[in-house]
Each structure stands twice: as structure tokens, then as C-alpha cells.
Amino acid sequence: MTYTRQPVGLFDSGIGGLTAAYAIIRELPQEQIVYFGDTAHLPYGPQPAETIRAYSADITAFLLQQGCKAIVVACNTATAAALNYLRERWPDVPFIGMEPAVKPGAHATRSGKVGVLATAGTFKSQRYASLMHRYAVNVELLENPCTGLVERIEAGQLNSPETEAFLRSILAPMLAVGADTFVLGCTHYPFVQPLIEKIVGPDATVINPAPAIARQLRRVLEERGIRSAERAGPHRFYISGPKGNFESLASTLLGFEVRVEAEVVL
Ligand code: DGL
């Protein structure tokens, strides 16, 4: 029996999924969130899909133990590697996944060229191949795995000249061939969205899928009749490794004081 006042679980390799949490808290302020950042195993992008699947299953089991009524896989890499498996293993649990916004990107572009920033694991996946075949028929996708950007963001380098130079080296070749739309296909990347927008300029479109995911979560909770009318308690945050900058980056993004409940070894 699921109760409306049970929390919603979210997980990611680190702070990235907080960009989804931000959108969810705005869309559904009555929901309590339990967030898990798998900082001990970060980054997920370069690791084999089977490894990410095992991490995702352990984290899901933990979030269900915490009483979560639904799970948002707030990570494109984990969605690509594990979402089907998680749905098979826990058929009664509603899972909401995240994938690069190729469809909205294909609709938004006027030049027919869309830059996709995601991790190596996401690009290699079957799920991404299927997105391309379905939605990128008359559109050219310019892909870059942004190797090292996740670590840079985790280190709090959100606005440094080095991060700007790094992003320019990725975006300039895309701009040079006419890309006018950029899809943020990794939940870490919205942390540097202001810098990306500065580089690509006001005429380009930058797509962060987090608000769409928050609306999708609302639809799922409403369909199942498990949307909360009143927040049951404070949001809770867990990580699996050293805290690093987690609390300060989370507090700045979410706009309230974030304290990690515990370091949980899974
Ligand atoms: N934030 C994750 C994603 O959306 C993964 C980042 C990583 O750990 O490589 O893909």
C-alpha cells in the first residue's frame, strides 16, 4: 500500500540530479524528497553499463527502504544503463527516467544542427540510438561527451576561466558548423548553463530537461493517486562517499541549507 505522504526518491552519481530536484521542488512543493548522490562511484559516464546497473539497483533498494513511493533516475547515464532493469525488478514502483532532449532539440532547431552534450555512457547506449532513430531524422546531431566536465562541476568550478575555456573548446566547433540548439543530456551540465548560454549567445536555444521531468513526475503521481497534498517532512540527502562540495553546491542551487544525513556505504 502506497501512501501519498511517502517521499519521492532521486538519485545520481553526485550533485547532478539536484538540477532535477530543483525543478521538482518548484513543480511539486508538497512532495518530500530523498536524494542519493553516489559520490563514491563518480563519474558514471566512463563506466560499463553492468556496473552502473548494479549501483542503480543498490541505490533503489536503499531509497525504497527509506519509504519512497516513486523513484526519479535523475541521471541520463543511469537511465540508459539501468531503467529497463529497474522496472523489471520492481514492477510496482513508478520509475521516471531522464534522457537527452533530442526530440525537443529537433523541434527547436532552425539550422538543422543540434549540439548534444551527454556522457560517453549515454552516447553508447541503445536508448540513445533509439532516440536518434526516432527523432533526429532530418536533423544532424553534433555529439560531445565533455570528458572531465562532471569532475569540474563536482569541484565547484562553475564559473572559472578554465571551465569557460573548456566549454568554448567544445561549443566553438559546433557553433562553427551552424548549431543553434544545445541539449544538456547530463544532469550535471545545467550547473554551467549560464556559462554555456554566454558562449552560444542569445539566439541559440539551450535545453535543460529538468522542468519537463518534474511535470512528468506530477503526471505519474496524479495518475496513481499518490500525489501529496502536504509535505510530510524536510528533504533528506545521502551520499556514498566524502562530502566534498556537496552541501555548499546543493545549498546554493536549492536556496536552502542542505545538510547530508549520512554517508551510506552500499
Ligand atoms: N549526471 C549524470 C548524467 O546525467 C552522470 C554524470 C557522471 O557521473 O558521469 O548522465
Side-chain angles (χ1 to χ4, degrees), residues 12-13 16-17 42-46 74-78 119 122 150 185-188:
D12 177 53
S13 61
L42 179 130
Y44 276 4
C75 173
N76 294 258
T77 314
T119 69
T122 298
V150 165
C186 166
T187 52
H188 278 76

Side-chain angles (χ1 to χ4, degrees), residues 100-190:
V102 170
K103 186 181 177 186
H107 280 135
T109 182
R110 285 156 286 131
S111 67
K113 295 200 167 67
V114 178
V116 185
L117 312 182
T119 69
T122 298
F123 285 131
K124 270 190 273 176
S125 68
Q126 204 37 57
R127 190 171 273 272
Y128 183 73
S130 142
L131 272 180
M132 271 171 62
H133 290 131
R134 276 179 296 154
Y135 303 121
V137 184
N138 296 314
V139 167
E140 188 183 342
L141 300 181
L142 308 164
E143 296 156 359
N144 194 302
C146 304
T147 308
L149 184 56
V150 165
E151 293 90 323
R152 207 173 261 286
I153 290 169
E154 289 281 336
Q157 298 285 310
L158 307 185
N159 205 12
S160 68
E162 293 78 15
T163 302
E164 181 166 350
F166 176 87
L167 286 170
R168 272 189 198 282
S169 74
I170 289 165
L171 297 167
M174 295 180 176
L175 290 166
V177 296
D180 64 353
T181 301
F182 297 84
V183 168
L184 305 184
C186 166
T187 52
H188 278 76
Y189 300 167

Side-chain angles (χ1 to χ4, degrees), residues 110 197-205:
R110 285 156 286 131
E197 283 172 347
K198 177 179 157 192
I199 295 167
V200 301
D203 294 337
T205 305

